[in-house]
């Protein structure tokens, strides 16, 4: 379905075209841009509400700045759809997040206007500061550097580290705080309350209306006049806001808050700020989902709703006459509550992903025992460690790729102290359309090398429940359970809980000559491969490792004692993963066999649907069957041992 752009928008191929419009026309352009995003995302999918909330800010930035010479960095990138459309990618925007299409996030290799690749939060200020310092060093004193960061991303420690550093540099840096009280879910914490106090101070809002414009004019008189004016302004700000402004205490000039949906006002303010030297912060108030009533009302649901009817707002979901398997995340959420009802030591922790991880189920059922700590993975891990020292059993749920940000805390604060923290790594393996920043490719490799950890991966929903039940039992140390994004395979998943023997895998089926060893959900693709191969007279054995640490030595002795041809299958990186662990075991015990490892190759895997990327990486059911077929010697037989 071809999406028709508005009369003004269809003329915009670069920001240079944008600058030919009058400010009156820009108001109309904003309306057309917002509608184009609605029209396209409703049909093709993608992130939604975040980009609607920064339409006017996006237009104003490209109108005032000389991009790409001026460096514009978007934090996370959920909100950068308008930016992509205005910078030459309108005609291919319908390929957003599709295999072979444009990325859902800013990406340096895609456009010169994408100055920094993003996907994880809170990196923009650090990146923009690095660019600003480099520009100073090269004598490019006229170059502007702008970081656009949401109030949710501002809760992360990395953002404050960057602010702290930027405050002592004299670089030309502007931080735009996009304040909408949201990340994916509503924001939490003291910073949210602080920003709210600023936005609701009537006296301050009256005073700040013309301050940026006045200071710009004073700066033209000379540095002495500007210095005196700054002291007067700071004194008045401190009085009106009752406390010293947080950002000014870090040597940032603070401006705002201003209406982030008034494109004319934004243009005037940004134009004024160009001439004010040093680090500056502009506080913009926006509404996530602006211009689409349902998204404004329910911003979490409309963060990334999938396909929907733009007129009725009905979100389109696949329908089936048969019972449908649940999402792994929902199995986690419901099972956690079930366990917590019987074990009053259990606590739930998530860093700003209550709906994405389904921790919101426990937050609703037991609000005093479940915590959203904001976009703060490092804090989430060490907070969990603190709970564990007092006898609690924290279930710390973090997306696999986000856990990379808290690796030191896992080692230093949990593993070395052998504390009973249960890490549930959602989105493990190929994550799909979010692409390389969100693929959980590395957790098996980076977790299995840490002492004291137990590292497991369930093949289905029942296994996930049983591993969670096992992990919360007394006497356990750090326990890692990783599972993928999306649906499982068991519609009838609510089965009695049973403990799993730690470090023990299982035999799915016996076979002849060839063995498949899998771990986690991808083992279901191996099951499909076995069914296809059986029809051809090839009967591989199939083993589910369950644990990559500790390894099931008895199972592996059986495999290497019986088979000389082995295929390992994992939805994770080949380097250092389960396949590598099997090879290490083979070498350590003097076995000899031909082992082929299937998994995520040593390279950046781009975006696409999970199944498409499994195929691309070579470990879907067909690829597994082909690998086994090439290794096996077909024989005429109609039976197999099982």
């Amino acid at each position: 379905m071809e999406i028709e752009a508005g009369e003004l928008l269809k003329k915009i191929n670069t920001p240079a075209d944008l600058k030919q419009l009058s400010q009156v026309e820009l108001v109309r352009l904003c309306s057309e841009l917002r509608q184009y995003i609605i029209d396209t995302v409703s049909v093709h999918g993608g992130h939604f509400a975040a980009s609607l909330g920064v339409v006017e800010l996006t237009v104003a930035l490209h109108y005032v700045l000389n991009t790409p010479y001026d460096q514009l960095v978007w934090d996370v990138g959920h909100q950068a759809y308008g930016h992509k459309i205005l910078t030459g990618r309108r005609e291919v925007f319908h390929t957003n997040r599709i295999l072979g299409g444009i990325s859902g996030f800013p990406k340096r290799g895609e456009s010169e206007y994408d100055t920094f690749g993003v996907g994880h939060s809170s990196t923009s200020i650090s990146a923009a500061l690095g660019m600003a310092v480099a520009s100073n060093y090269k004598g490019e004193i006229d170059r502007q550097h702008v970081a656009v960061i949401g109030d949710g991303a501002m809760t992360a420690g990395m953002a404050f580290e960057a602010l702290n550093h930027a405050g002592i540099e004299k670089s030309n840096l502007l931080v735009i705080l996009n304040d909408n009280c949201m990340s994916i879910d509503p924001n939490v914490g003291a910073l949210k309350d602080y920003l709210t106090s600023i936005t609701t101070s009537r006296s301050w809002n009256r005073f700040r209306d013309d301050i940026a414009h006045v200071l710009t004019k004073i700066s033209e008189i000379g540095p002495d006049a500007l210095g005196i004016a700054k002291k007067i302004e700071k004194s008045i700000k401190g009085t009106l806001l009752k406390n010293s402004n947080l950002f000014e205490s870090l040597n940032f000039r603070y401006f705002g808050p201003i209406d982030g949906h008034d494109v004319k006002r934004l243009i005037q303010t940004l134009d004024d700020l160009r001439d004010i030297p040093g680090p500056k912060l502009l506080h913009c108030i926006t509404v996530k989902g602006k211009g689409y009533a349902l998204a404004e009302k329910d911003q979490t649901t409309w963060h990334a709703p999938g396909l929907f009817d733009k007129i009725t707002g009905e979100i389109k979901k696949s329908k089936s006459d048969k019972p449908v398997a649940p999402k792994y995340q929902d199995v986690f959420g419901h099972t956690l509550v079930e366990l917590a009802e019987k074990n009053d030591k259990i606590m739930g922790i998530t860093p700003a992903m209550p709906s994405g991880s389904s921790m919101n189920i426990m937050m609703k059922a037991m609000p005093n025992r479940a915590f959203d700590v904001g976009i703060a993975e490092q804090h989430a891990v060490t907070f969990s460690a603190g709970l564990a020292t007092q006898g609690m059993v924290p279930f710390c749920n973090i997306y696999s790729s986000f856990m990379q940000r808290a690796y030191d805390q896992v080692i230093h604060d949990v593993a070395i102290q052998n504390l009973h923290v249960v890490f549930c790594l959602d989105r493990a393996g190929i994550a799909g359309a979010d692409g390389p920043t969100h693929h959980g490719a590395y957790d098996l490799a980076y977790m299995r090398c840490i002492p004291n950890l137990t590292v497991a991966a369930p093949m289905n929903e029942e296994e996930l429940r049983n591993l969670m039940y096992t992990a919360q039992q007394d006497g356990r140390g750090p326990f890692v359970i990783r599972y993928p994004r999306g649906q499982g395979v068991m519609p009838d998943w609510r089965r009695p809980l049973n403990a799993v023997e730690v470090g023990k895998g299982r035999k799915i089926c016996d076979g002849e000559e060839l063995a498949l060893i899998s771990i986690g959900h991808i083992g279901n693709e191996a099951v499909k491969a076995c069914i296809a191969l059986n029809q051809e007279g090839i009967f591989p054995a199939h083993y589910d490792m369950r644990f990559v640490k500790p390894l099931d030595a008895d199972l592996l002795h059986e495999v290497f004692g019986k088979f000389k041809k082995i295929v390992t299958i994992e939805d994770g990186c080949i380097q250092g993963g389960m396949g590598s662990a099997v090879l290490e075991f083979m070498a350590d015990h003097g076995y000899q066999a031909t082992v082929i490892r299937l998994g995520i190759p040593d390279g950046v895997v781009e975006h696409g649907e999970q199944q498409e990327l499994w195929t691309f990486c070579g470990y879907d059911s067909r690829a597994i069957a082909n690998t086994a077929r090439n290794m096996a010697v077909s024989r005429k037989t109609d039976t197999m041992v099982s």
Side-chain angles (χ1 to χ4, degrees):
M1 178 180 178
E2 185 175 352
I3 308 299
E4 183 72 20
E7 290 300 316
L8 290 176
L9 182 58
K10 67 174 56 175
K11 299 176 183 177
I12 307 300
N13 295 308
T14 68
D17 299 325
L18 186 70
K19 298 177 191 296
Q20 303 305 310
L21 302 181
S22 68
Q23 290 194 21
V24 173
E25 289 176 309
L26 290 180
V27 176
R28 179 182 160 195
L29 176 69
C30 289
S31 178
E32 291 183 6
L33 178 57
R34 180 171 278 113
Q35 189 60 50
Y36 190 78
I37 293 172
I38 294 171
D39 292 345
T40 304
V41 176
S42 67
V43 174
H44 297 287
H47 293 104
F48 185 61
S51 285
L52 294 185
V54 295
V55 165
E56 289 80 10
L57 179 58
T58 303
V59 169
L61 282 166
H62 281 296
Y63 190 78
V64 173
L65 297 176
N66 178 27
T67 56
Y69 177 73
D70 289 338
Q71 303 282 280
L72 175 58
V73 183
W74 298 92
D75 206 275
V76 183
H78 291 151
Q79 75 281 56
Y81 285 6
H83 160 79
K84 292 200 172 204
I85 292 166
L86 295 176
T87 54
R89 286 165 279 183
R90 187 185 71 253
E91 294 295 330
V92 294
F93 185 62
H94 66 282
T95 70
N96 180 43
R97 292 163 52 90
I98 296 173
L99 184 66
I102 65 172
S103 172
F105 300 98
K107 181 180 177 183
R108 281 174 57 83
E110 186 177 291
S111 171
E112 63 180 340
Y113 292 94
D114 293 356
T115 61
F116 200 75
V118 291
H120 292 190
S121 84
S122 315
T123 63
S124 61
I125 304 175
S126 296
L129 177 60
M131 296 172 187
V133 169
S135 292
N136 266 1
Y137 177 76
K138 294 187 291 184
E140 299 167 343
I141 59 175
D142 62 329
R143 202 171 196 181
Q144 305 293 314
H145 310 85
V146 180
V148 181
I149 183 170
D151 51 322
M154 192 68 87
T155 63
M158 186 174 178
F160 282 94
E161 292 169 18
L163 289 171
N164 183 55
H165 180 192
I168 63 170
E169 297 290 345
K170 297 180 180 179
S171 302
N172 193 3
L173 173 68
L174 171 62
V175 175
I176 296 180
L177 175 57
N178 174 35
D179 185 357
N180 59 21
C181 294
M182 292 289 294
S183 47
I184 294 176
D185 293 277
N187 286 333
V188 297
L191 180 63
K192 178 202 69 169
D193 295 337
Y194 173 75
L195 294 176
T196 299
S197 72
I198 293 179
T199 62
T200 56
S201 172
R202 294 181 179 178
S203 298
W204 164 243
N205 280 287
R206 284 196 300 269
F207 167 74
R208 58 82 174 136
D209 277 346
D210 297 314
I211 192 68
H213 191 66
V214 169
L215 285 171
T216 302
K217 298 304 179 186
I218 292 176
S219 69
E220 296 173 359
I221 300 174
D224 293 339
L226 179 61
I228 294 171
K230 284 182 179 179
K231 291 180 180 179
I232 295 173
E233 178 206 8
K234 186 173 183 179
S235 175
I236 297 174
K237 282 181 180 178
T239 301
L240 294 178
L241 293 178
K242 297 182 180 180
N243 296 297
S244 177
N245 182 278
L246 171 65
F247 303 108
E248 301 240 341
S249 69
L250 294 170
N251 293 330
F252 269 74
R253 299 292 315 289
Y254 172 87
F255 300 94
I258 68 170
D259 181 359
H261 298 299
D262 184 343
V263 68
K264 295 180 182 178
R265 178 68 183 282
L266 285 167
I267 288 171
Q268 176 191 331
T269 304
L270 290 170
D271 199 45
D272 287 342
L273 293 181
R274 285 178 62 95
D275 299 320
I276 297 177
K280 305 167 287 292
L281 185 139
L282 175 62
H283 187 177
C284 295
I285 307 301
T286 63
V287 176
K288 188 173 181 178
K290 179 71 173 179
Y292 193 76
L294 291 172
E296 292 185 33
K297 184 177 180 180
D298 187 354
Q299 296 167 330
T300 298
T301 297
W302 290 89
H303 172 76
L307 308 185
F308 62 95
D309 186 314
K310 67 180 181 182
I311 305 300
T312 66
E314 179 186 0
I315 296 175
K316 300 176 182 178
K317 297 181 178 179
S318 59
K319 297 180 180 179
S320 175
D321 296 331
K322 299 179 180 180
V324 177
K327 293 180 179 179
Y328 276 101
Q329 68 179 67
D330 291 335
V331 175
F332 161 81
H334 289 293
T335 303
L336 184 61
V337 171
E338 184 179 340
L339 293 171
E341 287 172 344
K342 299 175 182 178
N343 184 347
D344 61 7
K345 297 178 181 178
I346 289 176
M347 299 282 189
I349 298 92
T350 178
M353 300 302 294
S355 60
S357 69
S358 293
M359 185 66 75
N360 56 358
I361 298 173
M362 185 176 183
M363 291 172 70
K364 182 178 180 180
M366 304 174 177
N368 64 325
R369 293 171 62 185
F371 304 89
D372 176 1
V373 301
I375 303 177
E377 292 85 2
Q378 294 169 298
H379 166 63
V381 171
T382 305
F383 173 64
S384 298
L387 288 170
T389 66
Q390 301 306 303
M392 299 297 104
V393 182
F395 276 71
C396 183
N397 190 304
I398 301 180
Y399 285 11
S400 171
S401 63
F402 297 168
M403 178 59 91
Q404 294 159 191
R405 315 182 85 181
Y407 191 57
D408 177 64
Q409 284 68 32
V410 172
I411 298 171
H412 184 274
D413 300 333
V414 177
I416 289 177
Q417 302 185 88
N418 201 24
L419 293 173
H420 190 181
V421 176
V422 182
F423 295 112
C424 292
L425 305 188
D426 199 337
R427 272 59 168 182
I430 291 294
D434 283 333
T437 59
H438 284 61
H439 294 325
Y442 312 110
D443 56 81
L444 286 175
Y446 70 63
M447 286 297 192
R448 80 176 185 90
C449 62
I450 302 175
N452 289 330
L453 261 61
T454 296
V455 184
M459 187 170 160
N460 56 42
E461 298 92 316
E462 182 180 20
E463 288 279 295
L464 173 57
R465 284 170 54 78
N466 288 340
L467 285 169
M468 291 176 65
Y469 176 73
T470 303
Q472 55 89 44
Q473 293 179 322
D474 290 341
R476 301 292 182 198
F479 206 111
V480 179
I481 307 171
R482 57 106 67 177
Y483 50 89
R485 178 177 186 169
Q487 289 182 316
V489 294
M490 297 177 63
D492 180 24
W493 60 275
R494 289 183 182 271
R495 300 184 181 184
L497 293 163
N498 293 292
V500 176
E501 185 177 355
V502 171
K504 286 297 179 182
R506 57 180 183 150
K507 184 190 297 183
I508 304 299
C509 68
D510 207 341
E512 302 170 352
E513 187 174 352
L514 171 71
L516 307 180
I517 304 176
S518 65
I519 188 166
H521 175 82
I522 203 66
N524 295 290
E525 293 293 299
V527 170
K528 295 177 187 176
C530 287
I531 293 172
L533 290 166
N534 289 173
Q535 294 173 351
E536 302 173 21
I538 302 172
F539 300 99
H542 180 199
Y543 296 84
D544 170 26
M545 284 301 296
R546 268 201 194 120
F547 296 88
V548 76
K549 187 185 183 80
L551 288 172
D552 187 341
D554 292 338
L555 183 153
L556 290 177
H557 281 304
E558 176 182 327
V559 170
F560 283 105
K562 185 175 181 181
F563 301 99
K564 296 300 181 183
K565 299 174 182 178
I566 298 164
V567 181
T568 66
I569 307 117
E570 58 196 302
D571 189 14
C573 63
I574 290 178
Q575 278 72 15
M578 183 271 290
S580 294
V582 170
L583 287 177
E584 291 164 11
F585 181 91
M586 181 179 75
D588 290 345
H589 292 86
Y591 289 112
Q592 291 186 338
T594 299
V595 179
I596 294 180
R597 294 174 297 153
L598 302 182
I600 298 175
D602 185 19
V604 176
V605 178
E606 298 295 345
H607 54 278
E609 295 301 318
Q610 273 179 316
Q611 190 70 45
E612 291 177 326
L613 297 179
W614 290 347
T615 300
F616 174 81
C617 292
Y619 57 88
D620 66 342
S621 61
R622 287 188 179 183
I624 296 168
N626 285 336
T627 302
R629 190 177 293 114
N630 292 334
M631 294 184 77
V633 176
S634 297
R635 55 174 51 86
K636 296 180 180 179
T637 179
D638 297 322
T639 61
M640 66 173 289
V641 180
S642 63

